[in-house]
Amino acid sequence: MSLGSIAGAAAMGHKGWVTARCHICNKKLDLTKDTVYYCPKCHTKGYRIFYCVADAKRLHYKCPFDGVELKIY
Ligand SMILES: [Zn+2]
Ligand SMILES: [Zn+2]
């Protein structure tokens, strides 16, 4: 009887602060390189919601939740 080694589960990256996903299309966004839009109001409420350039344009640069103008992160 052998106990297998417990692999995995350890290596979660520490890059949560520089990468995000577009809330609309789920595209991966690099906060340090890409132009990323966010709603300042949602962020003050604690929602880390981001939008890619294409979707920000499609939303007419307005937050779909509260209509606040999106800002470049
Ligand atoms: Zn998008
Ligand atoms: Zn908002």
Side-chain angles (χ1 to χ4, degrees):
M1 179 177 177
S2 69
L3 293 169
S5 65
I6 300 162
M12 294 296 284
H14 296 280
K15 294 194 172 165
W17 291 109
V18 295
T19 59
R21 283 190 182 272
C22 173
H23 187 68
I24 308 289
C25 67
N26 210 34
K27 184 179 132 177
K28 204 172 175 197
L29 305 167
D30 187 332
L31 300 180
T32 63
K33 282 191 297 188
D34 300 329
T35 304
V36 179
Y37 287 86
Y38 75 103
C39 167
K41 191 171 176 182
C42 287
H43 273 235
T44 59
K45 286 191 269 181
Y47 299 114
R48 283 177 50 79
I49 298 172
F50 296 95
Y51 305 97
C52 69
V53 174
D55 287 312
K57 192 174 180 183
R58 213 172 296 157
L59 294 165
H60 303 284
Y61 304 99
K62 292 255 169 65
C63 174
F65 302 106
D66 46 43
V68 169
E69 199 176 323
L70 301 178
K71 299 263 185 248
I72 292 174
Y73 192 80

